[in-house]
Amino acid sequence: MYQYDQYDQSMVDARVEEFRDQVKRRLAGQMTEDQFKPLRLMNGLYLQLHAYMLRVAVPYGTLSSRQMRMLGHIARKYDRGYGHFTTRQNLQFNWIKLEDAPDILAELATVEMHAIQTSGNCIRNISSDQFAGAAADEVTDPRPWAELLRQWSTFHPEFTYLPRKFKIAVIAAAEDRAAMRLHDIGIELLRKDGVLGAKIFVGGGMGRTPMISHEIRDFVTADELLSYLEACLRVYNRYGRRDNIYKARIKILLHELGPDEYRRQVEEEFAKVKTLGIDPPVAELERISAFFAPPAFETGLSDVVDRSDPDFAVWLDQNVKPHKQPGYAIVNISLKPVGGIPGDASADQIDVMADLGERYSFDELRVTHAQNIVLPHVRKADLYAVWQTLTEAGLAEANLDLISDIIACPGLDYCSLANARSIPLAQKIAERFKDLDRQRDLGELKLKISGCINACGHHHAGHIGILGVDKKGKENYQLSLGGSGAEDVSLAKITGPGFDEDGVVDAIERVTDRFVQVREPGERFLDTYRRVGFETFKEAIYG
Amino acid sequence: MADLAGDTDNLLRFRDDEAHDEPAITLDSFLNGQTNAGAVRLEAGDDARALLPSLEQLALVEVSFPSFRDGRGYSAARILREAGYAGELRAAGDVLVDQIPHMRRCGFDSFAPEAPVDSETLKRSLDRYDHHYQRAADAATPIWKLRHG
């Protein structure tokens, strides 16, 4: 894992003092709320329905056990004893007092953490593959590149007042576990003629106008990557729309200019920018990469796991994934128990996961965009012990990628933008499908719920997506089908008129029943949907 | 910090030369007639690159910030400095004290904020960070350069 040097540490320490000063001036009335808002947002502090919400950055979703414990400590000391893991691999505290925020940031800084640029119209936390460094299919570990981008984007003087927020994802595997194509910029690392470089996609995003990104450059080498990204951002900063907040994302600029014209403008800018000496030497990427060297894996370990406990065997099949190192496995901890709040973990559970990471996974944990936690490097011989501990802590739900592994935004229970509640609906769906045998029979089925058109719950990318809307003062839910945030990226299509809360649960069941009738052996729901088409399911829903 | 005294109430200058006293004209006027002017004002949507052929003759470029949320002027400033402009570069309009450090890094060396800026707050703000991660239009040595020489 990356470790701060004196420069990184002084940066976050200074940021704490800067924010302390800003809060003091706000509380003293020297700033209006309008003037304070972009400053607090740049530090992840939102004013929500009931309280301030603080979003803590988890760069590329990687945490040490010490950092994870700090999140538990903050949940206990400053919040109501829990935290919420987000679809951007961050963590949110929902019940924060403004006057406590500087102290929380100071505590975070002691474990090399911060809340910098977790909100605001700036470059947000860089997201990545939660299996980085452990996945068998990766070309390289994407995290050193993500860390390089974290540093470059931190307090970038030119790109702090962009037209709108800006999200970047970096992956390095054929399988896309980070919804890379639905980011403002998606970076896929690959080798070309033996040289490692980046393919650049621009203009993806969800929100009210979902779009899949365009490939803008097939290859840029590490020593020119930052210049290229500066060119991409500069064209956006200058020409992205500022007249309408709903048309301000870079995807709209790409849509209006067309990808060819955008590419031409970026290349013109890049030709100038790359001569300015803004790219760090390759030695800097090498310095960062050294922190991500593989841990000291044992060799000669057995791959045999005792499956005699049937509950353990189910969890093993569902939540444990292959590791590139023989004798090791990747453990997924589901934060989606039936009846729970998707992505929430109590302070005690956070501590349990931190302990497991320290004891069994080389002191590392990951946050996934599906709001789960990963122990990336667990010896197969330790899996049973890990499972037992998770079971005692209520963290052994064996539902990874199944219909109850729901992504849901906080919705109207917390969020001031929401039109409808997401959490109670997620709970009702999980309850309806709580029989695990039935869920496993349905197989991989990604269900995603957003409580408003801003699409924080990724409903456009759901195999089944649900959007909560306000219909004449009543919560109403639109159902859509066929989305994917993975390498087979697609946008879901709305089925027809919406439903009330119970109605949408029934409609989902009509969809899964039809799937069971028409599927062919080995097909996932998405495969069947793509083969038989939208109308078959629409007919099942509406008759 | 450089001399903060200016010739108007809110003008903050980080230059040693005399403030240019000729009023800035619009980009349109400059390009279509008054081609010998020494001071130009860029509105947020104007293309700073249109000035590049004339940088030698300009003593002042004023960049307008109609709202503190409108960040186009940061790019305009960098484009001018990257092209070698050495004259006064002024940020004018809705410029807030917490934005001035970033503006300095983008190459602005004078400020005409609509509302007065508290000088103590500004001083704290400008002295806050010892180093920066990126190379920008100021003289700061980026952290990667400090690490690798």
Side-chain angles (χ1 to χ4, degrees), chain A residues 375-386:
Chain A
L375 303 174
H377 312 296
V378 179
R379 291 195 319 176
K380 287 184 177 166
D382 293 328
L383 287 171
Y384 192 67
V386 168

Side-chain angles (χ1 to χ4, degrees), chain A residues 144-284:
Chain A
W145 298 65
E147 174 61 25
L148 188 75
L149 298 183
R150 182 191 74 84
Q151 295 187 23
W152 160 73
S153 60
T154 297
F155 310 136
H156 196 293
E158 187 177 343
F159 305 131
T160 297
Y161 293 89
L162 294 167
R164 199 75 179 85
K165 58 189 170 182
F166 205 91
K167 301 174 180 179
I168 301 177
V170 189
I171 67 168
E175 194 176 322
D176 179 1
R177 289 171 284 259
M180 182 273 286
R181 295 294 301 280
L182 296 168
H183 281 73
D184 295 285
I185 289 185
I187 298 176
E188 182 183 358
L189 303 178
L190 44 84
R191 261 178 221 290
K192 193 173 168 186
D193 304 326
V195 179
L196 205 54
K199 183 182 277 196
I200 311 287
F201 297 89
V202 184
M206 294 193 241
R208 64 184 64 205
T209 318
M211 290 186 187
I212 296 167
S213 61
H214 304 271
E215 184 185 320
I216 292 299
R217 201 172 218 264
D218 68 345
F219 199 71
V220 56
T221 50
D223 59 336
E224 294 189 332
L225 178 66
L226 298 190
S227 287
Y228 192 78
L229 295 179
E230 292 230 353
C232 289
L233 264 297
R234 183 176 285 177
V235 171
Y236 170 55
N237 190 43
R238 299 185 75 203
Y239 299 112
R241 286 181 62 171
R242 291 174 186 267
D243 60 322
N244 181 340
I245 186 176
Y246 302 119
K247 296 186 188 298
R249 296 286 289 269
I250 196 172
K251 61 192 173 189
I252 303 294
L253 178 67
L254 265 282
H255 182 70
E256 290 180 355
L257 287 180
D260 291 337
E261 173 58 18
Y262 174 76
R263 181 184 300 113
R264 190 193 66 73
Q265 293 189 16
V266 169
E267 289 294 332
E268 201 175 287
E269 198 67 55
F270 177 51
K272 300 184 185 80
V273 172
K274 72 179 176 186
T275 65
L276 301 172
I278 66 163
D279 288 288
V282 173
E284 175 61 359

Side-chain angles (χ1 to χ4, degrees), chain A residues 24-69:
Chain A
K24 205 167 112 193
R25 281 186 280 138
R26 170 67 190 125
L27 292 173
Q30 292 167 16
M31 254 190 282
T32 65
E33 173 56 23
D34 190 47
Q35 291 170 339
F36 180 56
K37 188 177 168 188
L39 301 177
R40 64 168 166 75
L41 285 181
M42 225 79 80
N43 232 331
L45 198 65
Y46 284 77
L47 186 56
Q48 291 292 38
L49 281 178
H50 312 290
Y52 279 97
M53 179 272 275
L54 178 67
R55 185 181 291 149
V56 177
V58 181
Y60 33 91
T62 295
L63 283 164
S64 69
S65 293
R66 189 168 71 120
Q67 292 173 325
M68 189 74 160
R69 274 192 204 101

Side-chain angles (χ1 to χ4, degrees), chain A residues 348-379:
Chain A
D348 291 346
Q349 288 177 323
I350 287 171
D351 284 349
V352 167
M353 293 188 279
D355 291 347
L356 287 172
E358 184 171 47
R359 184 158 175 204
Y360 295 111
S361 184
F362 293 96
D363 201 26
E364 252 193 74
L365 302 107
R366 310 287 174 77
V367 184
T368 84
H369 88 272
Q371 304 177 281
N372 293 317
I373 301 295
V374 168
L375 303 174
H377 312 296
V378 179
R379 291 195 319 176

